[in-house]
Amino acid sequence: MCRDSVLKILMASQALIQEDRDPVADHQPGCCDVFIDLLRACGLICYVACPPVPSVITRKLAFHPPEKGMTYRIALKSDPEKRFKNIKGCSRDEPVQLVVRNISNGADYIHSEKEVEVFSVTTSNKNELVCIKCTPDSYSSNPAVADQVVLFCQPNSSDLGGFLQPNSMNFVTYANVFETDFYAFDYSGYGFSSGTQGEKNMYADIRAVYDKIRETRPDKKIVIMGYSIGTTAAVDLASSNPEGLAGVVLIAPFTSGLRLFSSKPDKPDTCWADSFTSFDKINRIDTRVLICHGDLDEVIPLAHGMALYEKLKNPVPPLIVHGANHHTILSGKYIQVFTRIAR
């Protein structure tokens, strides 16, 4: 999140300052210390604000993908040891698999072909995305559910490998809970997707994946589910009311980037330099929208979710999860989130 990212940068800067000081001596800062601190502060400001282009500043503050290869790698089924810089280097004719790195013990783990199917999509910005389809053990007997699939937009600081960890609540579990096919993808510049992170790229990413699902599954309607920063991609696409859209689920959404720094998430006027402006788009969504938010969310206050709810054209009662924060709301700890979405 934007505010969270600023705090991380400031904390990292402070950590560098502390490392350079004498860990033993407890002395008053001298002229040199103050000068070095000022230089570091200027360097941080220059990094964020140069060039002074809003989209570039937003990218530096908002997008922090995990280190490539930390949670997974892509591999050819015919040559598992061959390494790739990104999915663009793989031939579309050769089957690809995701080798997940178990974060708890460092071991490699590969989901079965029945559980996870890997494919790629090219966006309008010519970026190649890593995408997956997770298949449930059995499909719902409810005809309404059987006609739908789910497209998930991830939160920041995560990639597909983080949501495919074995022995945890992962995408395969989600598919089984919802009893339907569950699609997910890595944004441009995340994981082994090519390109650079950015707001416009993210919007192009979800549209490309959505269109691919519609092309290959024309008989299915799509429910878009966004989590945290992923809600902005979900709202952007849903606000255009694409053909086949069945519903929208927003988990811990926020009104806009700059409003995260404001005590009034529902302020009517949007600054020209603002980003992720879901507040201005959400009232254009025709289909039903469910908002889920934890009342102890320290990253995105509940007031943001409620401000968006008030602007919905076709709302369903929101789900306020008591005791949940930004990181636990979709962890599996609160089963009511999944039962409510499924219902």
Side-chain angles (χ1 to χ4, degrees):
M1 295 297 63
C2 298
R3 181 175 63 182
D4 219 23
S5 302
V6 173
L7 290 174
K8 287 180 180 178
I9 292 174
L10 292 176
M11 289 171 66
S13 178
Q14 184 63 25
L16 288 173
I17 294 171
Q18 294 296 334
E19 287 173 4
D20 282 349
R21 289 178 177 162
D22 187 343
V24 178
D26 184 15
H27 63 276
Q28 293 296 323
C31 294
C32 288
D33 294 320
V34 173
F35 181 67
I36 291 173
D37 288 355
L38 286 172
L39 283 178
R40 288 199 175 96
C42 290
L44 176 61
I45 293 171
C46 288
Y47 167 75
V48 173
C50 296
V53 179
S55 61
V56 176
I57 294 173
T58 297
R59 175 171 57 81
K60 291 178 180 178
L61 290 176
F63 295 99
H64 295 275
E67 181 183 348
K68 181 178 289 187
M70 186 175 72
T71 64
Y72 81 94
R73 61 182 173 86
I74 51 175
L76 297 177
K77 292 182 180 179
S78 60
D79 187 3
E81 297 306 316
K82 187 175 181 180
R83 304 288 172 162
F84 294 92
K85 182 179 180 181
N86 54 52
I87 192 72
K88 214 168 188 176
C90 301
S91 169
R92 289 182 181 268
D93 298 327
E94 294 190 77
V96 177
Q97 60 188 359
L98 257 61
V99 180
V100 178
R101 181 176 179 270
N102 191 326
I103 295 176
S104 62
N105 58 24
D108 286 347
Y109 181 86
I110 300 176
H111 289 273
S112 70
E113 292 183 41
K114 179 183 181 300
E115 290 180 330
V116 179
E117 175 187 336
V118 184
F119 63 100
S120 64
V121 167
T122 304
T123 74
S124 59
N125 295 334
K126 307 305 179 185
N127 295 327
E128 197 84 5
L129 309 182
V130 182
C131 310
I132 61 170
K133 182 187 80 171
C134 298
T135 303
D137 293 332
S138 61
Y139 289 97
S140 174
S141 58
N142 183 336
V145 177
D147 288 342
Q148 298 176 0
V149 299
V150 177
L151 172 57
F152 185 77
C153 303
Q154 301 185 90
N156 198 6
S157 302
S158 65
D159 58 18
L160 292 175
F163 275 97
L164 285 173
Q165 290 295 304
N167 305 316
S168 66
M169 196 74 174
N170 57 40
F171 285 149
V172 177
T173 311
Y174 294 171
N176 284 315
V177 168
F178 299 133
E179 296 182 303
T180 191
D181 291 331
F182 193 94
Y183 290 84
F185 62 99
D186 270 341
Y187 303 123
S188 296
Y190 276 67
F192 285 82
S193 293
S194 67
T196 304
Q197 312 90 3
E199 182 181 6
K200 290 183 178 180
N201 270 347
M202 186 171 67
Y203 297 159
D205 295 344
I206 183 176
R207 184 166 292 276
V209 180
Y210 187 95
D211 289 345
K212 183 67 173 181
I213 298 172
R214 288 290 298 164
E215 176 189 332
T216 56
R217 311 288 297 276
D219 58 321
K220 300 294 185 182
K221 292 185 177 181
I222 303 173
V223 175
I224 303 176
M225 183 188 304
Y227 180 13
S228 191
I229 201 171
T231 63
T232 66
V235 169
D236 184 78
L237 177 59
S239 65
S240 67
N241 296 299
E243 183 180 358
L245 180 64
V248 180
V249 179
L250 304 178
I251 300 166
F254 60 101
T255 51
S256 73
L258 288 181
R259 284 184 176 89
L260 276 173
F261 298 91
S262 170
S263 59
K264 296 181 179 180
D266 59 347
K267 62 181 182 179
D269 298 324
T270 298
C271 175
W272 67 270
D274 207 349
S275 56
F276 307 109
T277 53
S278 295
F279 189 78
D280 297 335
K281 304 172 186 175
I282 199 165
N283 62 344
R284 300 199 294 267
I285 301 176
D286 292 335
T287 190
R288 294 182 300 170
V289 180
L290 168 65
I291 291 178
C292 305
H293 217 124
D295 65 347
L296 296 183
D297 195 322
E298 73 290 353
V299 178
I300 302 174
L302 173 61
H304 282 262
M306 293 302 95
L308 291 173
Y309 170 74
E310 293 297 330
K311 294 198 69 178
L312 290 174
K313 182 188 298 185
N314 192 7
V316 298
L319 175 64
I320 300 174
V321 187
H322 299 289
N325 61 33
H326 195 72
H327 306 289
T328 62
I329 188 169
L330 207 60
S331 66
K333 182 178 180 180
Y334 302 96
I335 191 64
Q336 63 266 41
V337 175
F338 298 92
T339 55
R340 179 65 185 282
I341 294 171
R343 188 179 71 193

